[in-house]
Amino acid sequence: MRDLSFENVEIKIGEFVMGDKELLKIIGKEEAKTVRDVVEKAVKEEKKKGVRPHILDFRHWDMLLLERFEPIYAPMLDFCNLCTMGPCDLSFNKEGACGIDLKTQKARIVALACSIGASAHATHGRHLLEEMIEEFGEDHPIDLGLEVDVKTPNISLVLGIEPKTLGDLREVASYIEQEITRVLHTIHTGQEESYLDYESKALHVSMIDHVGMELADIVQISCLGYPKGDPDAPLIESGIGVLDLEKPVILVIGHNVVPARYIDDYLKERDLDDLVVVAGICCTAIDTTRYDPKAKIVGSLSYQLRMIRQGFADVVVVDEQCIRADLLRECSKAGIPLFTTSEASARGCPDLTHEDADKIVEKIVSGEIKGALIRDYEKLAKVVVKTAFKIKRRKKGIDVNVEEEVKKCVACGRCVDNCPHSLPIDTAMKRAKEGDYTMLKELDETCIACGRCEQVCHRNVRIVDVIMRCGEVRKSKIRAGRGPVKDSEIRKVGQPIVMGTIPGVIAPVGCPNYPKARRELVEIIEEFLKRKYIVVTTGCHAMDLGLESDLYERYGGDFDAGCLVNIGSCVANSHISGAVIKIAKIFAQRDILGNYVEIADYILNRVGAVGLAWGAMSQKAASIATGFNRLGVPVVASPHCLKYRRGYVGKFWKREKWWVYDIKTKRKVYVEPCPDALLVCAETKEEAIVLLARLCFRPADTYLGRQIKLTHYLELGKKYLGCYPDDWHLFVRTEQDLPIKMRDELLKILEEEHGWKIDWDKKRIVEGPIRKYDPGFNPTIVKEVYEKYAGEKTE
């Protein structure tokens, strides 16, 4: 027998298809066995490595989406000022000095915004990962509970791996950082000239953002004892009204729970947790209460000035993301010391990380310094708690005489012109002068306390302070962030969602930059809860739903019809995208490892899930929404989202764009235009409600499912628009789709207003734009079509 040596031989594995007989023709039996062993081992090693999708690998899928859902750009900023050759006027078909046109420039800015958002989550995830590895070790297992076997759906879908330990996630973090850098590189002057390619890059980096969010939250859950898919997670007290102001109040703001966790542990170890209130704003609040249910949630990011100016906090601790850029100034005015903990948010404070803790406390209490940067969390906890006890009640916040401030106002209207919501502040002030403060109280429902009105007031009226003191001090409850959707829940609801008998999944996941009052979000969501949609929420929307209502107390926390599920903080959005991926994995038995395009196609055509960003502010909101879009999940946004510059809207009258492949017949078939948009803004609450119902339609709906969805769509149109939506007939395939109780009425409308032919004896549609096969299409297996499309456009 010849000696087979594989030294200095490189084996590159694609797909090993040679059988034993073919091998035996080339070499002997023993040699064939040896070769096969080596190759099979190499195949296994390759599978362990997974895949690392390049920036262009899913470009063909993006182009398919962008062909159907054409980017529509908002008319904002018709110039470019990103390089020294600018500013360049790009209006009226003009080009910049580098040759870029307006449409491409807008797509470029969208890609930049999505890159910024993805980098925020990626850096946060890397911080968490390295902190937890240092404390728990690389071999610490990824543990999301006994009923979560598919632990990393986003990571598995994109990278084709199933990480088991914290150490396995380092490779994932490195890949995320690499891809963000790749996309940022393309934004440099003199790169792309195609707006579609910039959109593809925005979609790519936003997909990467969902991978980064998943990494961050599974690290937290695995190490910090968070709820693991618990539908009965504890109810947390929220609102300024729940604070015991007789105790020192430590206010934590931002998105990184680690500093707050050290403070919480320090208090518990010294039996001080009942003597101090730890309260939070924004996602740090949610994640702190996931760690310790005794902590309090003050509110969403719009509550920062409220807490500080009214003197409710004794000490403020900030970490990173979604923090006001004037907090040190505001805290100094109110006599509140501020501690910052992140290199991303040093705020001009001296770095006292290596200073003695007692000396830091002395400098703060004496007023020598207004704030400090401390990156040693153990030292931070000691300093913050000692400072809180020493400084308690020394400050009173900013005193405001409401009557005197109101008298200053001359109703010039500058405040209204500069308010993001154009609130009628001048009218409210005028009525207050007459003794009627009702309108100022109503403004507190809408005001996000941004302070832009005060910046332009030439009479220096303290408008925000006046509005806040006229508002109510709220007190409510929110369910703690429960973490991932369990596999067992997916097994229960996967079929009803795909078939349409559960009419849809609504995911409110935005910021508190609402077009009107916060109460609008509650009204939208309660409408869908009553109609047995699944509602799953995160972040600021999750907090405001609790702050403005008792929905968490009235509706269960299961991932099921008619339930309200708080998944967690911003990074927990990955569990929502993960849930729709798991429907394809668990219900449809699709392989998700490195199989992004097939799963996204499945979700687009079968899973009736829709996101809602009824307030969106930061770049993270842009990347979260765009990541959902690449996965085939539409998003409805508020009017403010036009400032992101772009929407993805389909044109239903272009019939040639609305087709799918029928997997049974292997033929191309034209379908109804659903969903008819991937990212679209609604002008009003009423329009948003109707849009959400429409975007839950999917081509794969069964007749019963379409009946249910059409019933809700028609009823909501009648309720909120005063008539049936004018496009409802586009979603009727046969008479079986029509709701039984409305069938006669709807058949009559189809005949009289849309020219359909009806057999009234049988109450059947004889002729109409019913789904039909393309007669000129050559039957092709779906997999082969995808392979062909990746290389050249399929006609």
Side-chain angles (χ1 to χ4, degrees):
M1 184 178 73
R2 297 192 305 275
D3 180 30
L4 288 176
S5 174
F6 290 95
E7 186 177 351
N8 298 323
V9 175
E10 181 179 348
I11 299 177
K12 195 168 184 180
I13 304 297
E15 184 177 356
F16 188 72
V17 295
M18 186 176 288
D20 291 330
K21 291 181 180 180
E22 288 81 2
L23 279 173
L24 287 172
K25 289 178 182 178
I26 302 172
I27 55 178
K29 185 176 181 180
E30 293 300 321
E31 289 90 337
K33 183 178 179 181
T34 307
V35 170
R36 181 170 290 282
D37 289 343
V38 172
V39 172
E40 287 181 351
K41 183 177 179 181
V43 170
K44 289 179 181 178
E45 290 300 318
E46 286 295 315
K47 285 184 177 180
K48 284 182 182 178
K49 293 178 184 178
V51 294
R52 296 168 69 92
H54 185 269
I55 193 173
L56 297 178
D57 282 353
F58 301 146
R59 181 172 179 255
H60 63 288
W61 170 248
D62 298 336
M63 294 305 170
L64 191 151
L65 288 176
L66 296 170
E67 184 180 11
R68 177 178 293 180
F69 305 104
E70 299 175 20
I72 295 178
Y73 297 100
M76 297 177 60
L77 299 179
D78 55 358
F79 66 90
C80 175
N81 198 26
L82 282 184
C83 78
T84 58
M85 293 187 290
C88 294
D89 181 6
L90 303 180
S91 62
F92 303 108
N93 297 319
K94 297 176 184 176
E95 294 182 351
C98 69
I100 199 168
D101 61 20
L102 182 58
K103 186 179 285 189
T104 308
Q105 171 63 7
K106 289 183 181 295
R108 180 187 183 198
I109 296 300
V110 170
L112 176 60
C114 292
S115 299
I116 294 170
S119 67
H121 288 137
T123 306
H124 170 49
R126 174 68 85 170
H127 284 168
L128 280 171
L129 178 61
E130 299 304 332
E131 286 278 350
M132 296 302 106
I133 285 178
E134 183 177 347
E135 182 173 350
F136 296 94
E138 286 191 346
D139 295 329
H140 187 80
I142 294 171
D143 179 12
L144 303 185
L146 296 176
E147 295 184 60
V148 180
D149 186 47
V150 184
K151 297 180 176 64
T152 58
N154 279 283
I155 293 172
S156 297
L157 185 65
V158 176
L159 279 84
I161 60 175
E162 296 177 309
K164 304 298 183 185
T165 66
L166 295 185
D168 294 341
L169 292 173
R170 276 184 163 151
E171 179 186 353
V172 178
S174 297
Y175 169 71
I176 293 167
E177 292 156 356
Q178 169 189 292
E179 292 306 298
I180 293 172
T181 304
R182 274 184 171 160
V183 174
L184 279 172
H185 159 64
T186 70
I187 297 169
H188 187 277
T189 301
Q191 299 280 37
E192 286 289 1
E193 65 175 277
S194 165
Y195 74 98
L196 291 177
D197 272 309
Y198 267 131
E199 291 292 351
S200 177
K201 289 168 172 60
L203 290 163
H204 180 74
V205 79
S206 300
M207 173 192 74
I208 297 300
D209 186 28
H210 281 249
V211 176
M213 290 189 291
E214 185 170 88
L215 181 150
D217 209 45
I218 62 176
V219 168
Q220 294 184 138
I221 294 171
S222 299
C223 298
L224 300 183
Y226 286 1
K228 297 176 179 178
D230 182 8
D232 298 315
L235 289 168
I236 306 298
E237 291 185 316
S238 65
I240 294 175
V242 305
L243 302 179
D244 184 351
L245 299 179
E246 296 302 314
K247 300 176 182 178
V249 176
I250 299 171
L251 180 66
V252 293
I253 307 174
H255 283 69
N256 184 2
V257 72
V258 178
R261 176 216 175 194
Y262 273 84
I263 293 169
D264 194 78
D265 287 348
Y266 182 90
L267 292 169
K268 288 178 181 176
E269 289 165 3
R270 289 157 180 79
D271 294 325
L272 298 172
D273 51 322
D274 289 330
L275 303 178
V276 177
V277 177
V278 176
I281 288 176
C282 222
C283 286
T284 290
I286 288 184
D287 284 339
T288 302
T289 56
R290 293 167 85 185
Y291 182 69
D292 180 7
K294 290 174 66 176
K296 314 296 182 188
I297 293 177
V298 170
S300 57
L301 65 88
S302 63
Y303 276 76
Q304 295 179 49
L305 285 186
R306 285 176 167 83
M307 277 293 290
I308 291 165
R309 289 194 177 183
Q310 297 189 63
F312 293 141
D314 294 287
V315 174
V316 172
V317 181
V318 300
D319 44 79
E320 57 189 33
Q321 301 175 33
C322 298
I323 306 167
R324 289 187 60 88
D326 60 354
L327 273 198
L328 182 60
R329 295 195 298 273
E330 291 290 343
C331 285
S332 298
K333 292 176 186 176
I336 303 172
L338 179 140
F339 295 96
T340 182
T341 62
S342 169
E343 73 275 7
S345 180
R347 300 183 172 269
C349 295
D351 188 347
L352 302 184
T353 301
H354 304 294
E355 186 83 57
D356 178 74
D358 291 329
K359 289 184 178 179
I360 299 173
V361 174
E362 184 179 338
K363 287 182 179 181
I364 290 288
V365 174
S366 67
E368 180 181 341
I369 57 176
K370 304 295 185 184
L373 168 62
I374 303 176
R375 290 171 290 126
D376 180 337
Y377 297 144
E378 289 186 0
K379 183 178 294 183
L380 171 79
K382 181 178 180 181
V383 170
V384 167
V385 173
K386 285 191 172 185
T387 302
F389 274 109
K390 288 193 174 185
I391 209 165
K392 179 184 178 296
R393 301 283 76 80
R394 252 182 41 177
K395 51 94 192 78
K396 299 294 182 182
I398 301 175
D399 293 327
V400 177
N401 185 318
V402 174
E403 292 184 4
E404 291 300 318
E405 293 297 317
V406 167
K407 288 178 182 178
K408 293 182 188 178
C409 179
V410 294
C412 66
R414 291 186 182 183
C415 52
V416 180
D417 293 339
N418 282 271
C419 175
H421 301 304
S422 300
L423 298 180
I425 300 168
D426 52 353
T427 305
M429 289 285 191
K430 182 179 178 181
R431 291 187 183 178
K433 282 184 181 181
E434 300 167 355
D436 181 5
Y437 288 85
T438 305
M439 198 168 178
L440 281 174
K441 182 178 179 180
E442 291 173 354
L443 289 185
D444 185 55
E445 291 284 325
T446 307
C447 176
I448 59 174
C450 66
R452 283 177 58 177
C453 53
E454 292 184 349
Q455 296 167 19
V456 298
C457 181
H458 65 284
R459 299 298 299 269
N460 296 318
V461 179
R462 289 150 74 169
I463 300 170
V464 174
D465 295 329
V466 169
I467 292 174
M468 288 188 302
R469 279 160 175 75
C470 291
E472 295 181 359
V473 177
R474 292 176 174 80
K475 181 178 180 180
S476 62
K477 290 184 178 180
I478 173 178
R479 194 171 299 284
R482 54 160 278 174
V485 177
K486 295 185 293 188
D487 295 9
S488 55
E489 291 174 305
I490 296 294
R491 290 188 188 95
K492 181 179 179 182
V493 303
Q495 182 179 21
I497 290 173
V498 171
M499 300 304 179
T501 51
I502 288 180
V505 180
I506 308 295
V509 295
C511 311
N513 189 23
Y514 304 114
K516 290 185 180 179
R518 289 184 291 271
R519 183 75 197 174
E520 278 195 340
L521 176 66
V522 176
E523 293 170 2
I524 294 171
I525 295 310
E526 189 165 15
E527 183 68 66
F528 287 99
L529 285 170
K530 290 176 181 176
R531 293 175 178 272
K532 300 299 181 182
Y533 287 72
I534 299 173
V535 177
V536 53
T537 184
T538 61
C540 286
H541 275 14
M543 287 182 272
D544 280 342
L545 282 170
L547 198 61
E548 296 292 328
S549 71
D550 60 352
L551 291 181
Y552 288 107
E553 297 169 74
R554 292 194 285 121
Y555 293 93
D558 299 273
F559 189 78
D560 202 351
C563 291
L564 175 59
V565 188
N566 177 17
I567 295 287
S569 59
C570 277
V571 291
N573 281 306
S574 57
H575 299 310
I576 302 177
S577 54
V580 296
I581 294 167
K582 290 205 287 188
I583 289 173
K585 165 70 175 175
I586 295 171
F587 164 66
Q589 297 293 299
R590 302 292 178 95
D591 180 18
I592 66 170
L593 289 178
N595 193 21
Y596 190 90
V597 173
E598 181 185 347
I599 299 305
D601 177 77
Y602 181 92
I603 292 166
L604 176 67
N605 289 294
R606 293 179 178 273
V607 182
V610 186
L612 172 67
W614 198 233
M617 188 180 105
S618 69
Q619 293 83 9
K620 295 191 306 175
S623 62
I624 291 169
T626 308
F628 276 118
N629 294 158
R630 195 186 215 189
L631 198 57
V633 178
V635 175
V636 174
S638 68
H640 283 301
C641 292
L642 285 171
K643 297 171 187 175
Y644 284 128
R645 295 175 173 82
R646 183 260 286 127
Y648 291 138
V649 180
K651 297 178 179 178
F652 68 85
W653 60 88
K654 294 186 176 182
R655 290 285 296 153
E656 71 278 5
K657 294 182 181 293
W658 303 98
W659 54 267
V660 297
Y661 292 112
D662 187 329
I663 198 148
K664 292 181 179 179
T665 64
K666 314 252 185 332
R667 300 185 66 185
K668 185 175 180 179
V669 56
Y670 291 108
V671 296
E672 59 277 19
C674 63
D676 65 344
L678 281 182
L679 180 62
V680 61
C681 293
E683 290 293 325
T684 64
K685 168 195 72 178
E686 292 77 13
E687 183 183 350
I689 290 173
V690 178
L691 258 176
L692 287 166
R694 185 173 83 222
L695 289 175
C696 286
F697 290 117
R698 291 296 181 274
D701 292 340
T702 62
Y703 298 128
L704 179 58
R706 184 59 60 86
Q707 279 186 27
I708 293 170
K709 291 183 180 183
L710 263 175
T711 299
H712 294 305
Y713 186 46
L714 293 166
E715 288 180 352
L716 289 170
K718 199 83 168 178
K719 180 176 180 179
Y720 290 102
L721 303 179
C723 61
Y724 291 147
D726 57 9
D727 61 355
W728 67 266
H729 62 284
L730 298 176
F731 308 107
V732 179
R733 300 164 299 189
T734 73
E735 65 283 345
Q736 291 173 292
D737 289 341
L738 297 172
I740 295 174
K741 64 179 181 180
M742 308 179 191
R743 186 166 295 176
D744 288 349
E745 177 190 1
L746 298 178
L747 285 172
K748 186 175 181 181
I749 294 173
L750 289 174
E751 182 179 52
E752 295 179 354
E753 297 183 17
H754 301 289
W756 293 31
K757 293 182 180 179
I758 310 297
D759 181 345
W760 284 101
D761 292 331
K762 298 181 180 179
K763 292 186 180 177
R764 294 189 63 180
I765 297 170
V766 176
E767 186 177 325
I770 302 171
R771 178 181 298 186
K772 54 188 176 183
Y773 292 117
D774 179 356
F777 180 71
N778 185 23
T780 311
I781 297 175
V782 174
K783 180 180 177 183
E784 293 176 352
V785 174
Y786 276 127
E787 292 172 350
K788 182 179 179 182
Y789 197 90
E792 63 179 272
K793 187 174 179 181
T794 302
E795 295 297 334

